[in-house]
Amino acid sequence: MIVSDGVVPAIEVSDLGMVYPGGVRALKGVSFQVEKGEFLAVLGLSGSGKSTLLRCVNRLLDPTEGSVHIFGEEVTALRGSNLRKLRCRVAMIFQQFNLVKRQTVMTNVLSGALGRSRLLPSLLLTFPQAERARAQAYLERVGLPDRGDSRADALSGGQQQRVAIARALMQEPQLFLADEPVASLDPALRHSIMRHIEILNREEGLTVLCSLHDIDLVTRYATRLIALRDGELVWQGLPENFDQGIFKEIYGQEAEPASNSGY
Amino acid sequence: MRNEQDIDSPTLAARFFAQVQVVGIDALLVGTSFLMVEFLFLAFSGRRSATGLLLTAEGILDLLHYGWIAGAAVLVAIAWSATHGIFGTSPGRAMVYGLAEEERDLPWSQTFLGWFVAILIQLTFFSGWLITELDLVSFLTKFSKAADILNGLMHPQASILHQGAVLLVQTIFLAFMATAFAIPVAFVLSFPSARNLTRGTWASRLLYMAARTGMNFVRAVEPLVWALIFISWVGIGPFAGVLALWVHSVAALTKLYSEQIESIDTGPMDAIAATGATTLQILRYGVVPQVIPPFLSYTIYRWDINVRMSTIIGFVGGGGIGYILKPRVDLGEWGEVGTLVLLIAATVWLMDIASAKIRERIV
């Protein structure tokens, strides 16, 4: 929102395009910047390319056109250990939480430290005492201090997403990606997860890039918005400038804003 | 856009290859049906050999005009391919391109293809009857010869019980060792044999092809043949049986394991990859925890199969209870055979129940 002169943006996406091997085009000519400390929400219908965009940033997917710079560093062509170093700095949480269900909550949180762990001990699921203490601290922070020994799939959806946040924090990231973090949760629990992310953003200055489709959540938590439609960037602006007309433009004339977030 | 065009207009080479497939499949099926017609014609014409004896099915198979019929079949296949607008979709065309739109809702009796397949099935059945020398008369009238054996089986003799029980223990351990040694090898091989883990690079695809082809070959060779190979390698005895079942189990378990890996939820893999983990760490955290229970289940199932196989591996000298069963059969000691068969049946039955119960609990 503040165009900072001379300061490198946290994320700079230029002319990004993605065509899947089957020939489906998911992104086309997408360009935008995320300044340090922003909470940028990505809006759009399912299938509009939000997930693809996020996955191109931490290179879970390889974009076919354009480039992504993170803190000034070109990441589009990174391979091997350079790619892993990038991923260490960029944490991600997912709509389906993506915890390793049959492992303990503690092991799930510790897996956030894999990028800096020694290979052999990590393959035996052992971590240094310092990392375990850190993991415990993050579990306390997301409000699950005594669930470390539970199996991950014994937790409720909201609790699983909080474990995923703890795993992400374990990376000590500079960037936080969230792919529809509350879409699989009960509406009543959505704010609890969003508030955790908000605290990271407002109080610790962590840059957040978050795809969301719930308009209420977007206008309440994001500092700036971009909107995708059929893989193209169709609008960007501030939450206060978002109105009915823009909504129809993004979601189509048939759409109605749904208010299901328990205001 | 470019891609859609690619789908609409395949390259000349691709179209040619598809056409060759169509004609090849058609020629094979038409040729087979022609051969069966000639076979049945000769069989029912009562043709005799030079010595005046009625020809056997094998003798007739020797007489068929393979070369001429193959040529005719290719011509018919090409002709059908050229006239599919008139005679409808041929079997080869149906397999390569699918049925034509207007034929999809027709009953089989209104298409040329339907009649062709129906007649092909009839021809196969009647040819098969003659080629396998089905003999209902013997089956229905000569039961008394087999009655001796059945009578012996009904009166098992205790004399061989002790030796049989001892070898039965060997049989179960033989199966166990073969399974145990197969687990680590199959575990390692299953990762390069899983399609979803080997899409990344050319090297990994090559590894996938090599692993799959090798395993399919090993699996295609029966354990009894492996036993013969290992008997000449390490000598007659249970160890040769262990090796034979081990090789076969590695191939079978690799296939089962890798199919399991192919059906995992990729979400956790993505999440672990996103933390900056290495490939080995992604496999350890994102894949292994998901596949351990099904792997255990398949392994127990395999042990169950191996117990069954190890009872006959002794027929060729691979150790276990089959080793004493074979000479009893040859000598016609049906009472003792009965004892051994009962022992085997009881073991297999118990293994079956135990394995089903355990697997039920795991998955």
Side-chain angles (χ1 to χ4, degrees), chain A residues 55 84 87 90 94 98-100 102-103 114-115 122-123 125 127 167 171, chain B residues 3 267-268 270-278 280-281 284-285 289 293:
Chain A
R55 282 159 182 259
R84 291 199 297 277
R87 286 175 174 166
V90 183
F94 302 81
N98 288 355
L99 299 181
V100 180
R102 306 188 72 92
Q103 283 180 338
L114 282 175
S122 75
L123 292 182
L125 307 185
F127 290 86
R167 174 172 69 185
Q171 284 179 241
Chain B
N3 268 282
D270 285 344
I272 300 297
T275 66
T278 62
L280 274 179
Q281 288 170 329
R284 176 67 188 87
Y285 285 77

PDB file of all heavy atoms in Angstrom, chain A residues 55 84 87 90 94 98-100 102-103 114-115 122-123 125 127 167 171, chain B residues 3 267-268 270-278 280-281 284-285 289 293:
ATOM      1  N   ARG A  55       1.596 -21.469  -5.278  1.00  0.00           N
ATOM      2  CA  ARG A  55       2.557 -22.558  -5.435  1.00  0.00           C
ATOM      3  C   ARG A  55       3.696 -22.195  -6.388  1.00  0.00           C
ATOM      4  O   ARG A  55       4.738 -22.846  -6.363  1.00  0.00           O
ATOM      5  CB  ARG A  55       1.837 -23.820  -5.920  1.00  0.00           C
ATOM      6  CG  ARG A  55       1.105 -24.502  -4.791  1.00  0.00           C
ATOM      7  CD  ARG A  55       0.012 -25.424  -5.273  1.00  0.00           C
ATOM      8  NE  ARG A  55      -0.661 -26.006  -4.123  1.00  0.00           N
ATOM      9  CZ  ARG A  55      -0.439 -27.223  -3.675  1.00  0.00           C
ATOM     10  NH1 ARG A  55       0.405 -28.013  -4.305  1.00  0.00           N
ATOM     11  NH2 ARG A  55      -1.067 -27.671  -2.619  1.00  0.00           N
ATOM     12  N   ARG A  84      15.760 -25.357  -2.018  1.00  0.00           N
ATOM     13  CA  ARG A  84      15.406 -25.702  -0.638  1.00  0.00           C
ATOM     14  C   ARG A  84      15.671 -24.531   0.306  1.00  0.00           C
ATOM     15  O   ARG A  84      14.908 -24.286   1.227  1.00  0.00           O
ATOM     16  CB  ARG A  84      16.189 -26.938  -0.189  1.00  0.00           C
ATOM     17  CG  ARG A  84      15.746 -28.213  -0.905  1.00  0.00           C
ATOM     18  CD  ARG A  84      16.167 -29.436  -0.144  1.00  0.00           C
ATOM     19  NE  ARG A  84      17.606 -29.566  -0.047  1.00  0.00           N
ATOM     20  CZ  ARG A  84      18.370 -30.108  -1.004  1.00  0.00           C
ATOM     21  NH1 ARG A  84      17.830 -30.564  -2.109  1.00  0.00           N
ATOM     22  NH2 ARG A  84      19.669 -30.193  -0.849  1.00  0.00           N
ATOM     23  N   ARG A  87      12.783 -22.279   0.040  1.00  0.00           N
ATOM     24  CA  ARG A  87      11.589 -22.790   0.712  1.00  0.00           C
ATOM     25  C   ARG A  87      11.686 -22.664   2.227  1.00  0.00           C
ATOM     26  O   ARG A  87      10.680 -22.512   2.908  1.00  0.00           O
ATOM     27  CB  ARG A  87      11.354 -24.242   0.310  1.00  0.00           C
ATOM     28  CG  ARG A  87      10.813 -24.374  -1.112  1.00  0.00           C
ATOM     29  CD  ARG A  87      10.726 -25.822  -1.502  1.00  0.00           C
ATOM     30  NE  ARG A  87      10.088 -25.999  -2.803  1.00  0.00           N
ATOM     31  CZ  ARG A  87      10.136 -27.136  -3.478  1.00  0.00           C
ATOM     32  NH1 ARG A  87      10.773 -28.187  -2.967  1.00  0.00           N
ATOM     33  NH2 ARG A  87       9.541 -27.246  -4.656  1.00  0.00           N
ATOM     34  N   VAL A  90      10.229 -19.426   3.190  1.00  0.00           N
ATOM     35  CA  VAL A  90       8.832 -19.193   2.831  1.00  0.00           C
ATOM     36  C   VAL A  90       7.969 -20.301   3.423  1.00  0.00           C
ATOM     37  O   VAL A  90       8.041 -21.439   2.988  1.00  0.00           O
ATOM     38  CB  VAL A  90       8.662 -19.175   1.298  1.00  0.00           C
ATOM     39  CG1 VAL A  90       7.234 -18.865   0.935  1.00  0.00           C
ATOM     40  CG2 VAL A  90       9.616 -18.186   0.658  1.00  0.00           C
ATOM     41  N   PHE A  94      -2.091 -24.775   4.281  1.00  0.00           N
ATOM     42  CA  PHE A  94      -2.948 -25.264   3.196  1.00  0.00           C
ATOM     43  C   PHE A  94      -4.405 -25.394   3.639  1.00  0.00           C
ATOM     44  O   PHE A  94      -4.695 -25.529   4.830  1.00  0.00           O
ATOM     45  CB  PHE A  94      -2.471 -26.649   2.737  1.00  0.00           C
ATOM     46  CG  PHE A  94      -1.046 -26.693   2.269  1.00  0.00           C
ATOM     47  CD1 PHE A  94      -0.001 -26.769   3.179  1.00  0.00           C
ATOM     48  CD2 PHE A  94      -0.743 -26.662   0.923  1.00  0.00           C
ATOM     49  CE1 PHE A  94       1.317 -26.817   2.748  1.00  0.00           C
ATOM     50  CE2 PHE A  94       0.570 -26.706   0.487  1.00  0.00           C
ATOM     51  CZ  PHE A  94       1.595 -26.782   1.391  1.00  0.00           C
ATOM     52  N   ASN A  98      -2.834 -30.539   5.599  1.00  0.00           N
ATOM     53  CA  ASN A  98      -1.700 -31.332   5.113  1.00  0.00           C
ATOM     54  C   ASN A  98      -0.718 -31.721   6.208  1.00  0.00           C
ATOM     55  O   ASN A  98       0.497 -31.702   6.010  1.00  0.00           O
ATOM     56  CB  ASN A  98      -0.966 -30.600   3.987  1.00  0.00           C
ATOM     57  CG  ASN A  98      -1.783 -30.599   2.709  1.00  0.00           C
ATOM     58  OD1 ASN A  98      -2.839 -31.225   2.661  1.00  0.00           O
ATOM     59  ND2 ASN A  98      -1.306 -29.925   1.701  1.00  0.00           N
ATOM     60  N   LEU A  99      -1.257 -32.070   7.383  1.00  0.00           N
ATOM     61  CA  LEU A  99      -0.392 -32.637   8.415  1.00  0.00           C
ATOM     62  C   LEU A  99      -0.125 -34.091   8.066  1.00  0.00           C
ATOM     63  O   LEU A  99      -0.883 -34.703   7.314  1.00  0.00           O
ATOM     64  CB  LEU A  99      -1.071 -32.562   9.785  1.00  0.00           C
ATOM     65  CG  LEU A  99      -1.401 -31.164  10.294  1.00  0.00           C
ATOM     66  CD1 LEU A  99      -2.039 -31.263  11.674  1.00  0.00           C
ATOM     67  CD2 LEU A  99      -0.159 -30.299  10.348  1.00  0.00           C
ATOM     68  N   VAL A 100       0.966 -34.632   8.610  1.00  0.00           N
ATOM     69  CA  VAL A 100       1.201 -36.067   8.466  1.00  0.00           C
ATOM     70  C   VAL A 100       0.355 -36.737   9.544  1.00  0.00           C
ATOM     71  O   VAL A 100       0.688 -36.702  10.721  1.00  0.00           O
ATOM     72  CB  VAL A 100       2.694 -36.394   8.623  1.00  0.00           C
ATOM     73  CG1 VAL A 100       2.925 -37.879   8.465  1.00  0.00           C
ATOM     74  CG2 VAL A 100       3.499 -35.621   7.591  1.00  0.00           C
ATOM     75  N   ARG A 102      -0.554 -39.678  10.693  1.00  0.00           N
ATOM     76  CA  ARG A 102      -0.236 -40.777  11.602  1.00  0.00           C
ATOM     77  C   ARG A 102       0.933 -40.451  12.522  1.00  0.00           C
ATOM     78  O   ARG A 102       1.356 -41.301  13.290  1.00  0.00           O
ATOM     79  CB  ARG A 102       0.072 -42.049  10.818  1.00  0.00           C
ATOM     80  CG  ARG A 102      -1.017 -42.436   9.840  1.00  0.00           C
ATOM     81  CD  ARG A 102      -0.745 -43.784   9.247  1.00  0.00           C
ATOM     82  NE  ARG A 102      -0.961 -44.842  10.204  1.00  0.00           N
ATOM     83  CZ  ARG A 102      -2.085 -45.494  10.362  1.00  0.00           C
ATOM     84  NH1 ARG A 102      -3.105 -45.208   9.610  1.00  0.00           N
ATOM     85  NH2 ARG A 102      -2.192 -46.448  11.257  1.00  0.00           N
ATOM     86  N   GLN A 103       1.473 -39.234  12.412  1.00  0.00           N
ATOM     87  CA  GLN A 103       2.560 -38.868  13.320  1.00  0.00           C
ATOM     88  C   GLN A 103       2.035 -37.955  14.425  1.00  0.00           C
ATOM     89  O   GLN A 103       0.932 -37.416  14.329  1.00  0.00           O
ATOM     90  CB  GLN A 103       3.680 -38.170  12.538  1.00  0.00           C
ATOM     91  CG  GLN A 103       4.521 -39.163  11.747  1.00  0.00           C
ATOM     92  CD  GLN A 103       5.631 -38.491  10.967  1.00  0.00           C
ATOM     93  OE1 GLN A 103       5.576 -37.313  10.671  1.00  0.00           O
ATOM     94  NE2 GLN A 103       6.635 -39.271  10.614  1.00  0.00           N
ATOM     95  N   LEU A 114      12.932 -29.164   9.165  1.00  0.00           N
ATOM     96  CA  LEU A 114      13.679 -30.129   8.339  1.00  0.00           C
ATOM     97  C   LEU A 114      14.726 -29.454   7.463  1.00  0.00           C
ATOM     98  O   LEU A 114      15.810 -29.986   7.245  1.00  0.00           O
ATOM     99  CB  LEU A 114      12.720 -30.933   7.454  1.00  0.00           C
ATOM    100  CG  LEU A 114      11.970 -32.062   8.155  1.00  0.00           C
ATOM    101  CD1 LEU A 114      10.969 -32.700   7.201  1.00  0.00           C
ATOM    102  CD2 LEU A 114      12.955 -33.106   8.664  1.00  0.00           C
ATOM    103  N   GLY A 115      14.403 -28.260   6.974  1.00  0.00           N
ATOM    104  CA  GLY A 115      15.299 -27.587   6.043  1.00  0.00           C
ATOM    105  C   GLY A 115      16.659 -27.282   6.651  1.00  0.00           C
ATOM    106  O   GLY A 115      17.643 -27.161   5.931  1.00  0.00           O
ATOM    107  N   SER A 122      17.326 -36.653  11.158  1.00  0.00           N
ATOM    108  CA  SER A 122      15.958 -36.297  10.797  1.00  0.00           C
ATOM    109  C   SER A 122      15.231 -37.497  10.194  1.00  0.00           C
ATOM    110  O   SER A 122      14.028 -37.652  10.384  1.00  0.00           O
ATOM    111  CB  SER A 122      15.943 -35.119   9.829  1.00  0.00           C
ATOM    112  OG  SER A 122      16.323 -35.529   8.536  1.00  0.00           O
ATOM    113  N   LEU A 123      15.972 -38.369   9.490  1.00  0.00           N
ATOM    114  CA  LEU A 123      15.323 -39.560   8.932  1.00  0.00           C
ATOM    115  C   LEU A 123      14.914 -40.521  10.042  1.00  0.00           C
ATOM    116  O   LEU A 123      14.008 -41.339   9.869  1.00  0.00           O
ATOM    117  CB  LEU A 123      16.257 -40.273   7.939  1.00  0.00           C
ATOM    118  CG  LEU A 123      16.537 -39.512   6.642  1.00  0.00           C
ATOM    119  CD1 LEU A 123      17.419 -40.329   5.722  1.00  0.00           C
ATOM    120  CD2 LEU A 123      15.257 -39.134   5.923  1.00  0.00           C
ATOM    121  N   LEU A 125      13.711 -39.424  12.783  1.00  0.00           N
ATOM    122  CA  LEU A 125      12.733 -38.619  13.528  1.00  0.00           C
ATOM    123  C   LEU A 125      13.285 -38.073  14.832  1.00  0.00           C
ATOM    124  O   LEU A 125      12.547 -37.891  15.802  1.00  0.00           O
ATOM    125  CB  LEU A 125      11.448 -39.423  13.804  1.00  0.00           C
ATOM    126  CG  LEU A 125      10.736 -40.088  12.635  1.00  0.00           C
ATOM    127  CD1 LEU A 125       9.441 -40.728  13.106  1.00  0.00           C
ATOM    128  CD2 LEU A 125      10.430 -39.091  11.524  1.00  0.00           C
ATOM    129  N   PHE A 127      15.388 -34.920  16.788  1.00  0.00           N
ATOM    130  CA  PHE A 127      15.744 -33.510  16.625  1.00  0.00           C
ATOM    131  C   PHE A 127      16.474 -33.038  17.877  1.00  0.00           C
ATOM    132  O   PHE A 127      16.233 -33.565  18.964  1.00  0.00           O
ATOM    133  CB  PHE A 127      14.474 -32.666  16.414  1.00  0.00           C
ATOM    134  CG  PHE A 127      13.824 -32.894  15.082  1.00  0.00           C
ATOM    135  CD1 PHE A 127      12.920 -33.940  14.908  1.00  0.00           C
ATOM    136  CD2 PHE A 127      14.103 -32.076  13.999  1.00  0.00           C
ATOM    137  CE1 PHE A 127      12.318 -34.156  13.678  1.00  0.00           C
ATOM    138  CE2 PHE A 127      13.502 -32.292  12.772  1.00  0.00           C
ATOM    139  CZ  PHE A 127      12.617 -33.334  12.616  1.00  0.00           C
ATOM    140  N   ARG A 167       3.892 -25.438  12.660  1.00  0.00           N
ATOM    141  CA  ARG A 167       4.907 -26.018  11.780  1.00  0.00           C
ATOM    142  C   ARG A 167       5.508 -24.940  10.878  1.00  0.00           C
ATOM    143  O   ARG A 167       6.721 -24.901  10.658  1.00  0.00           O
ATOM    144  CB  ARG A 167       4.278 -27.126  10.920  1.00  0.00           C
ATOM    145  CG  ARG A 167       5.212 -27.695   9.872  1.00  0.00           C
ATOM    146  CD  ARG A 167       4.619 -28.914   9.177  1.00  0.00           C
ATOM    147  NE  ARG A 167       3.485 -28.572   8.332  1.00  0.00           N
ATOM    148  CZ  ARG A 167       2.740 -29.464   7.699  1.00  0.00           C
ATOM    149  NH1 ARG A 167       2.981 -30.754   7.816  1.00  0.00           N
ATOM    150  NH2 ARG A 167       1.717 -29.089   6.963  1.00  0.00           N
ATOM    151  N   GLN A 171       9.688 -22.826  10.815  1.00  0.00           N
ATOM    152  CA  GLN A 171      10.645 -22.503   9.749  1.00  0.00           C
ATOM    153  C   GLN A 171      11.308 -21.152   9.993  1.00  0.00           C
ATOM    154  O   GLN A 171      12.257 -20.828   9.299  1.00  0.00           O
ATOM    155  CB  GLN A 171       9.916 -22.444   8.389  1.00  0.00           C
ATOM    156  CG  GLN A 171       9.583 -23.792   7.820  1.00  0.00           C
ATOM    157  CD  GLN A 171       8.853 -23.672   6.492  1.00  0.00           C
ATOM    158  OE1 GLN A 171       7.730 -24.125   6.365  1.00  0.00           O
ATOM    159  NE2 GLN A 171       9.477 -23.058   5.491  1.00  0.00           N
TER     160      GLN A 171
ATOM    161  N   ASN B   3      -2.056 -26.222 -27.575  1.00  0.00           N
ATOM    162  CA  ASN B   3      -2.257 -27.583 -27.096  1.00  0.00           C
ATOM    163  C   ASN B   3      -3.558 -28.196 -27.598  1.00  0.00           C
ATOM    164  O   ASN B   3      -3.604 -29.359 -27.926  1.00  0.00           O
ATOM    165  CB  ASN B   3      -2.239 -27.597 -25.580  1.00  0.00           C
ATOM    166  CG  ASN B   3      -0.840 -27.862 -25.071  1.00  0.00           C
ATOM    167  OD1 ASN B   3      -0.414 -28.992 -25.086  1.00  0.00           O
ATOM    168  ND2 ASN B   3      -0.137 -26.818 -24.702  1.00  0.00           N
ATOM    169  N   GLY B 267      -0.963 -34.189  -0.325  1.00  0.00           N
ATOM    170  CA  GLY B 267      -0.935 -32.960   0.475  1.00  0.00           C
ATOM    171  C   GLY B 267       0.239 -32.900   1.439  1.00  0.00           C
ATOM    172  O   GLY B 267       1.013 -31.932   1.413  1.00  0.00           O
ATOM    173  N   PRO B 268       0.407 -33.932   2.320  1.00  0.00           N
ATOM    174  CA  PRO B 268       1.536 -33.883   3.243  1.00  0.00           C
ATOM    175  C   PRO B 268       2.885 -33.801   2.525  1.00  0.00           C
ATOM    176  O   PRO B 268       3.800 -33.128   3.013  1.00  0.00           O
ATOM    177  CB  PRO B 268       1.404 -35.200   4.014  1.00  0.00           C
ATOM    178  CG  PRO B 268      -0.041 -35.534   3.953  1.00  0.00           C
ATOM    179  CD  PRO B 268      -0.506 -35.036   2.612  1.00  0.00           C
ATOM    180  N   ASP B 270       3.487 -32.193  -0.258  1.00  0.00           N
ATOM    181  CA  ASP B 270       3.638 -30.784  -0.604  1.00  0.00           C
ATOM    182  C   ASP B 270       4.074 -29.984   0.614  1.00  0.00           C
ATOM    183  O   ASP B 270       4.965 -29.145   0.533  1.00  0.00           O
ATOM    184  CB  ASP B 270       2.299 -30.211  -1.107  1.00  0.00           C
ATOM    185  CG  ASP B 270       1.985 -30.671  -2.512  1.00  0.00           C
ATOM    186  OD1 ASP B 270       2.911 -31.150  -3.191  1.00  0.00           O
ATOM    187  OD2 ASP B 270       0.818 -30.553  -2.921  1.00  0.00           O
ATOM    188  N   ALA B 271       3.399 -30.247   1.748  1.00  0.00           N
ATOM    189  CA  ALA B 271       3.674 -29.466   2.957  1.00  0.00           C
ATOM    190  C   ALA B 271       5.113 -29.671   3.408  1.00  0.00           C
ATOM    191  O   ALA B 271       5.791 -28.725   3.806  1.00  0.00           O
ATOM    192  CB  ALA B 271       2.700 -29.846   4.067  1.00  0.00           C
ATOM    193  N   ILE B 272       5.595 -30.915   3.348  1.00  0.00           N
ATOM    194  CA  ILE B 272       6.972 -31.181   3.778  1.00  0.00           C
ATOM    195  C   ILE B 272       7.952 -30.572   2.776  1.00  0.00           C
ATOM    196  O   ILE B 272       8.954 -29.967   3.155  1.00  0.00           O
ATOM    197  CB  ILE B 272       7.219 -32.699   3.938  1.00  0.00           C
ATOM    198  CG1 ILE B 272       6.270 -33.305   4.991  1.00  0.00           C
ATOM    199  CG2 ILE B 272       8.663 -32.975   4.323  1.00  0.00           C
ATOM    200  CD1 ILE B 272       6.443 -32.774   6.383  1.00  0.00           C
ATOM    201  N   ALA B 273       7.630 -30.681   1.483  1.00  0.00           N
ATOM    202  CA  ALA B 273       8.501 -30.061   0.476  1.00  0.00           C
ATOM    203  C   ALA B 273       8.589 -28.559   0.719  1.00  0.00           C
ATOM    204  O   ALA B 273       9.644 -27.954   0.564  1.00  0.00           O
ATOM    205  CB  ALA B 273       7.964 -30.346  -0.927  1.00  0.00           C
ATOM    206  N   ALA B 274       7.458 -27.954   1.125  1.00  0.00           N
ATOM    207  CA  ALA B 274       7.424 -26.503   1.321  1.00  0.00           C
ATOM    208  C   ALA B 274       8.284 -26.043   2.489  1.00  0.00           C
ATOM    209  O   ALA B 274       8.600 -24.864   2.598  1.00  0.00           O
ATOM    210  CB  ALA B 274       5.985 -26.038   1.525  1.00  0.00           C
ATOM    211  N   THR B 275       8.683 -26.961   3.385  1.00  0.00           N
ATOM    212  CA  THR B 275       9.540 -26.555   4.494  1.00  0.00           C
ATOM    213  C   THR B 275      11.002 -26.498   4.078  1.00  0.00           C
ATOM    214  O   THR B 275      11.852 -26.128   4.878  1.00  0.00           O
ATOM    215  CB  THR B 275       9.455 -27.529   5.678  1.00  0.00           C
ATOM    216  OG1 THR B 275      10.005 -28.785   5.287  1.00  0.00           O
ATOM    217  CG2 THR B 275       8.033 -27.729   6.150  1.00  0.00           C
ATOM    218  N   GLY B 276      11.306 -26.892   2.843  1.00  0.00           N
ATOM    219  CA  GLY B 276      12.697 -26.901   2.400  1.00  0.00           C
ATOM    220  C   GLY B 276      13.369 -28.237   2.629  1.00  0.00           C
ATOM    221  O   GLY B 276      14.594 -28.317   2.644  1.00  0.00           O
ATOM    222  N   ALA B 277      12.563 -29.306   2.782  1.00  0.00           N
ATOM    223  CA  ALA B 277      13.126 -30.625   3.044  1.00  0.00           C
ATOM    224  C   ALA B 277      13.730 -31.229   1.780  1.00  0.00           C
ATOM    225  O   ALA B 277      13.347 -30.873   0.666  1.00  0.00           O
ATOM    226  CB  ALA B 277      12.034 -31.554   3.580  1.00  0.00           C
ATOM    227  N   THR B 278      14.675 -32.166   1.969  1.00  0.00           N
ATOM    228  CA  THR B 278      15.262 -32.867   0.822  1.00  0.00           C
ATOM    229  C   THR B 278      14.336 -33.997   0.389  1.00  0.00           C
ATOM    230  O   THR B 278      13.382 -34.340   1.091  1.00  0.00           O
ATOM    231  CB  THR B 278      16.620 -33.483   1.188  1.00  0.00           C
ATOM    232  OG1 THR B 278      16.390 -34.447   2.217  1.00  0.00           O
ATOM    233  CG2 THR B 278      17.587 -32.448   1.690  1.00  0.00           C
ATOM    234  N   LEU B 280      14.758 -37.215   0.312  1.00  0.00           N
ATOM    235  CA  LEU B 280      14.678 -38.318   1.279  1.00  0.00           C
ATOM    236  C   LEU B 280      13.788 -37.946   2.458  1.00  0.00           C
ATOM    237  O   LEU B 280      13.005 -38.756   2.944  1.00  0.00           O
ATOM    238  CB  LEU B 280      16.081 -38.675   1.789  1.00  0.00           C
ATOM    239  CG  LEU B 280      16.872 -39.655   0.946  1.00  0.00           C
ATOM    240  CD1 LEU B 280      18.244 -39.889   1.558  1.00  0.00           C
ATOM    241  CD2 LEU B 280      16.129 -40.987   0.834  1.00  0.00           C
ATOM    242  N   GLN B 281      13.912 -36.697   2.925  1.00  0.00           N
ATOM    243  CA  GLN B 281      13.067 -36.255   4.042  1.00  0.00           C
ATOM    244  C   GLN B 281      11.598 -36.205   3.633  1.00  0.00           C
ATOM    245  O   GLN B 281      10.714 -36.559   4.422  1.00  0.00           O
ATOM    246  CB  GLN B 281      13.528 -34.875   4.527  1.00  0.00           C
ATOM    247  CG  GLN B 281      14.854 -34.924   5.277  1.00  0.00           C
ATOM    248  CD  GLN B 281      15.430 -33.536   5.531  1.00  0.00           C
ATOM    249  OE1 GLN B 281      15.225 -32.615   4.741  1.00  0.00           O
ATOM    250  NE2 GLN B 281      16.155 -33.392   6.631  1.00  0.00           N
ATOM    251  N   ARG B 284      10.430 -39.695   3.775  1.00  0.00           N
ATOM    252  CA  ARG B 284      10.339 -40.202   5.148  1.00  0.00           C
ATOM    253  C   ARG B 284       9.129 -39.628   5.880  1.00  0.00           C
ATOM    254  O   ARG B 284       8.447 -40.326   6.614  1.00  0.00           O
ATOM    255  CB  ARG B 284      11.630 -39.858   5.905  1.00  0.00           C
ATOM    256  CG  ARG B 284      11.628 -40.250   7.372  1.00  0.00           C
ATOM    257  CD  ARG B 284      11.618 -41.764   7.518  1.00  0.00           C
ATOM    258  NE  ARG B 284      11.425 -42.189   8.888  1.00  0.00           N
ATOM    259  CZ  ARG B 284      10.242 -42.362   9.459  1.00  0.00           C
ATOM    260  NH1 ARG B 284       9.138 -42.116   8.771  1.00  0.00           N
ATOM    261  NH2 ARG B 284      10.141 -42.776  10.697  1.00  0.00           N
ATOM    262  N   TYR B 285       8.868 -38.303   5.689  1.00  0.00           N
ATOM    263  CA  TYR B 285       7.793 -37.651   6.442  1.00  0.00           C
ATOM    264  C   TYR B 285       6.467 -37.632   5.675  1.00  0.00           C
ATOM    265  O   TYR B 285       5.409 -37.769   6.261  1.00  0.00           O
ATOM    266  CB  TYR B 285       8.197 -36.218   6.804  1.00  0.00           C
ATOM    267  CG  TYR B 285       9.216 -36.156   7.920  1.00  0.00           C
ATOM    268  CD1 TYR B 285      10.548 -36.434   7.680  1.00  0.00           C
ATOM    269  CD2 TYR B 285       8.831 -35.848   9.209  1.00  0.00           C
ATOM    270  CE1 TYR B 285      11.478 -36.396   8.694  1.00  0.00           C
ATOM    271  CE2 TYR B 285       9.754 -35.815  10.240  1.00  0.00           C
ATOM    272  CZ  TYR B 285      11.085 -36.088   9.979  1.00  0.00           C
ATOM    273  OH  TYR B 285      11.981 -36.066  10.996  1.00  0.00           O
ATOM    274  N   PRO B 289       4.871 -42.579   6.496  1.00  0.00           N
ATOM    275  CA  PRO B 289       3.832 -42.781   7.508  1.00  0.00           C
ATOM    276  C   PRO B 289       2.489 -43.190   6.902  1.00  0.00           C
ATOM    277  O   PRO B 289       1.722 -43.924   7.512  1.00  0.00           O
ATOM    278  CB  PRO B 289       3.714 -41.411   8.193  1.00  0.00           C
ATOM    279  CG  PRO B 289       4.979 -40.713   7.899  1.00  0.00           C
ATOM    280  CD  PRO B 289       5.442 -41.214   6.566  1.00  0.00           C
ATOM    281  N   PRO B 293       0.834 -48.879   7.277  1.00  0.00           N
ATOM    282  CA  PRO B 293      -0.218 -49.867   7.573  1.00  0.00           C
ATOM    283  C   PRO B 293      -0.606 -50.742   6.384  1.00  0.00           C
ATOM    284  O   PRO B 293      -0.643 -51.957   6.513  1.00  0.00           O
ATOM    285  CB  PRO B 293      -1.387 -49.014   8.064  1.00  0.00           C
ATOM    286  CG  PRO B 293      -0.804 -47.707   8.420  1.00  0.00           C
ATOM    287  CD  PRO B 293       0.410 -47.513   7.573  1.00  0.00           C
TER     288      PRO B 293
END
